[in-house]
Amino acid sequence: MIGKLKGLVDGFGDDFVHLDVGGVVYEAFCSSKTLAALPQVGHATVLHIEMIVREDMIRLYGFSSEAEKQWFRILMTVQGVGARVALSILSTLTISELASAIALQDKTMIGRASGVGPKLAVRVVTELKGKVPDTGTLDPGVLGLQAALGEGVAGGNVTDAVSALTNLGYSSAQASAALARVVAREGDGLATDKLIRLGLKELSS
């Protein structure tokens, strides 16, 4: 099994990189975020590797960090999520945003990924509830929001408010931290539009 490759970037494709390791060129499929973080052709880099072996193929998947690799494995435990969909999710969301979406059961955020329909998004957040790996990827703001919610699972109004604030350009950490303060003060029964207004007030103060 191959766990990590260290070598020189030899070339890029739409969804893969060629890595020259001592004269042997490996092809590793990557998320768009990993590809964007790689150096130019001819420069040295390291990829964390997941190797999938099937009867008709052997394919390598490369990741910029061990945490991203762990998330790839976890996502593929969900029924209907294969390697391509897992990479699509990792291309759309940072691992911090993904951890936040699972922690808050935010199916809308998961549904942003190409190839993830509403039913699959629900399955992802439902099946992975409580399975966020301990990789330090969960934002303090999300932890605060979980604490403010008590049981740690946001209702639709709260997750919609988080999504609305992130769509306005705030990070999930900023949005969650602001809404944690609102929920702690006002409770989680407020309408979405009021949560958004109060969240914006917190963010501007």
Side-chain angles (χ1 to χ4, degrees):
M1 297 292 288
I2 300 174
K4 187 186 292 185
L5 289 175
K6 298 180 181 180
L8 302 177
V9 176
D10 190 69
F12 292 96
D14 290 338
D15 58 354
F16 63 84
V17 62
H18 283 160
L19 198 63
D20 185 336
V21 182
V24 178
V25 178
Y26 294 88
E27 183 174 271
F29 292 85
C30 306
S31 70
S32 62
K33 293 186 183 300
T34 290
L35 289 175
L38 289 172
Q40 296 178 347
V41 172
H43 290 259
T45 193
V46 177
L47 281 178
H48 298 265
I49 297 294
E50 179 75 6
M51 184 169 69
I52 295 180
V53 180
R54 296 177 181 166
E55 290 184 2
D56 57 342
M57 71 165 200
I58 298 175
R59 183 165 286 187
L60 304 181
Y61 295 89
F63 307 95
S64 59
S65 66
E66 187 64 30
E68 187 188 23
K69 178 179 172 179
Q70 285 187 42
W71 269 111
F72 178 77
R73 289 176 170 174
I74 290 170
L75 285 167
M76 292 220 300
T77 66
V78 177
Q79 181 184 357
V81 176
R84 180 172 294 182
V85 171
L87 282 184
S88 175
I89 293 172
L90 291 169
S91 293
T92 305
L93 303 175
T94 65
I95 56 176
S96 178
E97 289 170 337
L98 179 54
S100 300
I102 300 302
L104 298 176
Q105 296 289 280
D106 189 349
K107 60 184 182 297
T108 302
M109 185 174 286
I110 300 294
R112 294 177 184 175
S114 176
V116 179
K119 290 183 179 179
L120 184 55
V122 170
R123 196 179 302 140
V124 169
V125 298
T126 300
E127 293 189 19
L128 297 186
K129 178 183 175 181
K131 295 183 180 179
V132 175
D134 184 18
T135 57
T137 56
L138 198 55
D139 288 316
V142 175
L143 293 172
L145 184 51
Q146 284 184 297
L149 291 166
E151 64 180 12
V153 177
N157 58 333
V158 179
T159 56
D160 287 346
V162 172
S163 293
L165 293 176
T166 55
N167 287 337
L168 290 173
Y170 296 100
S171 70
S172 59
Q174 291 173 316
S176 296
L179 290 172
R181 293 192 291 272
V182 173
V183 170
R185 186 174 65 246
E186 306 284 347
D188 63 350
L190 298 176
T192 301
D193 57 346
K194 188 168 185 180
L195 279 171
I196 295 170
R197 287 199 302 272
L198 292 174
L200 285 171
K201 186 176 180 181
E202 289 288 337
L203 287 164
S204 62
S205 62

